[in-house]
Amino acid sequence: MKSIDYRSFFFFTFLALLLSLPLIFSSNAAARGSSDLSSVQAAPEKKEKKSIASKAPGTGKSVSRSYVFSQNSMPIGKEKYFYAHGKDNCLSATAEINISVPVRVDLLQSYALAADGSIVSYSAAAEVMGEKQALSCVFKDDEIKVKIFRKGTEENIALRSAMPVYILDNMNANNFQHIIGAYSHKKGGTQSFKIFVPQKLMAGELALEKKGFVKGRLAGKSKEFLEYRAVEKKSGLEIFIYADNSGALAGVVVPLQKFSMYLEGFELDKTVKPLETREFTAGKFKAKESELYFKAKDGMKLYAKITLPSDPKIARVPGVVLIAGSGPTDHNGNSAILGSTINTLRDISERLAAEGIASMRYDKRNTGNSDLSGDSPFSSYVSDAVSAFNFFSAREGIDADSIFLLGHSEGGLIAMSAVSGAPKARGVVLMAAPYTPFDKLILEQVKYNLDYSVSVSSSDKNEFLNQLSDVIKRLKSGRSPKLKGTVNVPSMDVVLKSLVSQPEFVSEYLNIVPEKLASALKKPVLLIAAELDSQVPVSDFSAYCDLFAKKGKRFSRLLVPGVNHVFKPAKAKNDVSSYLSAAPLSPAALDAVRDFIKECCGR
């Protein structure tokens, strides 16, 4: 058997800026390296595509269901599912899946299940924005045998996993039907199931428990639905599954990713969740954390939390607006792509409260509980940061003359850009902020990953890099890029297609020059970098330091040893597990933020 040519986890984190398809179980694949379906070419197509769908083999009649896929409350695709029971009550099924946002994905799946719902065989043929892909799996004797079709050739991979295994792929509602069908109501409690996610070649374990009945509606009629709670054990990702009184699947909800799959007309009774206030002790201070919404300049409603410590010595405390990094990263610093809790911004907020410093952190537009605006230019995210600053400045108990902007990663670019719209900002904190322009960064990261790919020829690598360079030039100049036919680097084609799918954001972002933003700053700056950062190299930190020193700007600096991009302890740059660990944020970094703020405020 050939070994799997895994791609870099860090490259996928970089791509979070570009693409956020609903990958329910992506965190585990990231943790062990990813070898997903997008890295293979399709096998030769078979003309008879609908034979199983129209009439599944076996003695039973074919039954069909249709589901809608939604992310951030917006429909993004649909599924048509056909199945029939054969002899020994085994089941044969197909699922036709169509995703339209953010990129076009057409997927045809066929699989056979044992009487207990566990998987026997699985195959999938997909077309992703015109690119054909295919894979098949057989499950037997504690082994999963996978065939990947690449350029007309067949690659075989074997994975070990105890049986029975239940298939749970990223975008198939009915896979959850088979899991809840295998749940023993007589036994009750929390039950564990071995799972396999074919698009990620990932084996794992799912804990499932029955929660009870909840009220909802289906086809306009009030009904009760049985609610199950599932937790993917390695990532801790929480999933809720709903079935009607007959046991038929009605819906699946993944709260962290704002992703759901449901029968047309299914909805749970909507109860408006009140905005909450949490009171807690932070160091020697009593603190209050309040949920709220504020309006952006264009009227978008953005969700936020303000943490306000109570200092009996002063009526108004200094504050910091915390700005998240790239992709769907929320107010706590957690990404829907990773599907796990990192809590970079939450940890900063709580430490600041313990030092008597208030903070405001928010979900960016198109993220978490904030409104959706679709493809938006970089300037909209900058304007949102200014709106957050102005809203925070007007709050009772906040010293409007002592508010700082703190940006992590891409958030650092937003913070520097926002200063001109927030002239009263006392200072700027840049944590792991990139200095390399985005166009150069893309080419460097792609070239880095291609250099480590032994399955791609030099000519294919050069052809892809030339096409990528052309797309970047066109977008940077405001022109529509032209995509040629698919080159033989399908695992990297997602970069091209993601750039093209967000022209407003990407066109502006490609023209951002961090050096110019930094040169224009007239505020005190704190630079913090991570020694083992695989995304923003230490050389970027050095470049900022050299620039500020050359221009005589007031700045402080700290290079934190032994930590990664999110300032958690790591053993090396490629220590993937450190991203998802429960370790706290670097105390040295937090101390530096505290000292910088107090020094600027003369406290």
Side-chain angles (χ1 to χ4, degrees):
M1 298 290 181
K2 294 182 180 180
S3 61
I4 303 173
D5 182 16
Y6 290 126
R7 286 173 286 169
S8 169
F9 161 77
F10 303 111
F11 182 62
F12 277 95
T13 307
F14 153 71
L15 281 181
L17 170 66
L18 304 174
L19 182 65
S20 56
L21 274 171
L23 299 176
I24 294 178
F25 300 105
S26 61
S27 59
N28 278 354
R32 61 184 283 265
S34 177
S35 180
D36 64 27
L37 189 55
S38 65
S39 67
V40 299
Q41 293 280 0
E45 280 192 80
K46 295 182 179 180
K47 291 185 178 180
E48 188 60 23
K49 175 181 175 181
K50 60 180 181 178
S51 58
I52 300 178
S54 58
K55 186 177 181 181
T59 58
K61 294 182 179 180
S62 178
V63 181
S64 66
R65 294 182 190 147
S66 295
Y67 291 88
V68 176
F69 297 162
S70 172
Q71 193 162 38
N72 289 309
S73 301
M74 292 181 63
I76 63 168
K78 60 186 179 180
E79 172 191 352
K80 290 183 180 179
Y81 175 69
F82 306 85
Y83 69 96
H85 290 281
K87 62 179 182 178
D88 300 325
N89 208 32
C90 294
L91 183 144
S92 298
T94 61
E96 297 175 2
I97 295 169
N98 307 105
I99 301 292
S100 55
V101 177
V103 296
R104 179 74 187 183
V105 178
D106 296 297
L107 180 65
L108 177 66
Q109 302 171 324
S110 300
Y111 47 93
L113 304 177
D116 64 356
S118 61
I119 189 71
V120 176
S121 64
Y122 170 91
S123 64
E127 188 167 325
V128 182
M129 291 186 71
E131 177 188 319
K132 295 177 182 178
Q133 313 162 2
L135 143 135
S136 66
C137 311
V138 175
F139 304 76
K140 188 177 180 182
D141 299 331
D142 291 342
E143 186 177 58
I144 304 170
K145 294 183 178 179
V146 182
K147 292 183 179 180
I148 298 175
F149 301 97
R150 185 196 308 267
K151 304 179 189 178
T153 63
E154 182 180 295
E155 181 178 0
N156 295 298
I157 297 169
L159 302 172
R160 300 295 298 176
S161 178
M163 301 292 166
V165 171
Y166 295 82
I167 191 166
L168 276 184
D169 77 46
N170 295 330
M171 297 176 291
N172 189 322
N174 278 280
N175 292 162
F176 292 90
Q177 175 73 74
H178 309 310
I179 284 283
I180 62 174
Y183 181 87
S184 170
H185 290 270
K186 183 177 180 180
K187 181 180 178 182
T190 300
Q191 299 172 27
S192 294
F193 297 89
K194 299 287 185 183
I195 61 170
F196 177 69
V197 184
Q199 281 83 357
K200 291 292 176 184
L201 297 184
M202 183 195 83
E205 193 168 352
L206 194 76
L208 182 70
E209 64 173 327
K210 180 177 68 175
K211 300 295 291 182
F213 285 95
V214 296
K215 293 182 178 181
R217 298 178 69 82
L218 186 61
K221 296 182 180 181
S222 296
K223 289 180 175 289
E224 283 193 333
F225 298 93
L226 185 56
E227 181 183 64
Y228 298 84
R229 176 178 177 266
V231 177
E232 202 288 314
K233 288 191 174 181
K234 289 184 180 178
S235 68
L237 187 67
E238 190 176 49
I239 305 160
F240 291 92
I241 307 166
Y242 300 92
D244 65 17
N245 287 331
S246 70
L249 183 78
V252 178
V253 177
V254 189
L256 178 63
Q257 299 179 347
K258 304 294 180 183
F259 179 65
S260 58
M261 304 180 278
Y262 50 87
L263 290 172
E264 187 76 52
F266 166 76
E267 62 177 344
L268 297 173
D269 280 357
K270 294 178 180 177
T271 56
V272 179
K273 180 187 173 185
L275 295 172
E276 297 179 353
T277 297
R278 177 173 72 102
E279 295 185 352
F280 63 101
T281 299
K284 62 181 181 180
F285 301 100
K286 290 183 178 180
K288 181 183 292 186
E289 183 178 82
S290 304
E291 292 182 301
L292 52 88
Y293 284 89
F294 69 98
K295 278 193 175 183
K297 187 177 180 180
D298 60 2
M300 299 281 292
K301 284 201 315 179
L302 304 180
Y303 172 84
K305 284 182 180 177
I306 288 180
T307 305
L308 180 63
S310 177
D311 189 339
K313 297 180 181 179
I314 54 176
R316 298 181 302 159
V317 298
V320 185
V321 176
L322 307 177
I323 306 170
S326 62
T329 306
D330 68 11
H331 65 284
N332 285 326
N334 298 325
S335 171
I337 296 274
L338 295 181
S340 187
T341 52
I342 298 175
N343 288 330
T344 310
L345 301 185
R346 189 204 66 179
D347 287 357
I348 295 173
S349 174
E350 292 184 353
R351 174 59 189 277
L352 290 174
E355 301 294 344
I357 301 168
S359 64
M360 177 177 176
R361 60 196 200 273
Y362 62 95
D363 288 343
K364 296 178 299 183
R365 59 178 60 214
N366 299 313
T367 301
N369 294 313
S370 289
D371 282 351
L372 305 170
S373 62
D375 181 23
S376 299
F378 179 76
S379 54
S380 291
Y381 293 88
V382 174
S383 177
D384 293 346
V386 173
S387 296
F389 182 92
N390 292 335
F391 182 89
F392 192 39
S393 299
R395 299 287 289 189
E396 185 177 351
I398 303 295
D399 183 353
D401 294 321
S402 300
I403 299 179
F404 297 76
L405 292 168
L406 183 154
H408 175 254
S409 194
E410 180 196 286
L413 303 183
I414 294 174
M416 288 191 287
S417 302
V419 168
S420 61
K424 291 186 69 176
R426 194 65 175 265
V428 179
V429 180
L430 303 177
M431 298 184 70
Y435 187 87
T436 306
F438 187 51
D439 53 350
K440 185 178 179 182
L441 176 65
I442 295 173
L443 290 169
E444 285 181 354
Q445 293 240 6
V446 170
K447 188 176 184 305
Y448 174 84
N449 280 269
L450 287 176
D451 286 344
Y452 280 86
S453 178
V454 296
S455 61
V456 181
S457 68
S458 296
S459 61
D460 283 344
K461 291 177 183 178
N462 291 332
E463 180 185 348
F464 182 83
L465 288 170
N466 289 336
Q467 186 174 359
L468 177 59
S469 296
D470 183 67
V471 167
I472 289 172
K473 287 179 182 177
R474 286 178 175 272
L475 283 169
K476 194 172 181 179
S477 63
R479 294 178 293 160
S480 297
K482 295 180 180 179
L483 289 182
K484 302 175 184 178
T486 303
V487 296
N488 294 325
V489 194
S491 63
M492 292 293 178
D493 260 1
V494 66
V495 179
L496 292 174
K497 293 165 184 174
S498 300
L499 288 170
V500 172
S501 71
Q502 302 177 79
E504 285 196 50
F505 178 84
V506 174
S507 292
E508 269 198 16
Y509 198 57
L510 286 169
N511 284 287
I512 298 296
V513 181
E515 180 184 356
K516 290 183 179 181
L517 295 177
S519 297
L521 289 176
K522 297 179 181 178
K523 306 287 183 180
V525 178
L526 170 62
L527 286 167
I528 308 179
E531 179 195 22
L532 301 179
D533 193 332
S534 65
Q535 296 167 64
V536 178
V538 173
S539 58
D540 278 22
F541 168 73
S542 300
Y544 274 119
C545 293
D546 292 343
L547 176 70
F548 288 149
K550 181 179 179 180
K551 293 186 175 292
K553 295 187 180 292
R554 179 183 171 188
F555 77 103
S556 304
R557 72 184 84 178
L558 175 67
L559 175 60
V560 185
V563 297
N564 61 21
H565 183 65
V566 294
F567 292 90
K568 290 192 172 188
K571 297 177 182 177
K573 285 186 177 182
N574 62 350
D575 182 4
V576 175
S577 62
S578 65
Y579 273 70
L580 307 178
S581 75
L585 212 68
S586 162
L590 295 172
D591 288 347
V593 174
R594 172 203 62 197
D595 294 344
F596 175 73
I597 292 171
K598 291 192 173 184
E599 179 184 345
C600 289
C601 295
R603 300 186 181 188

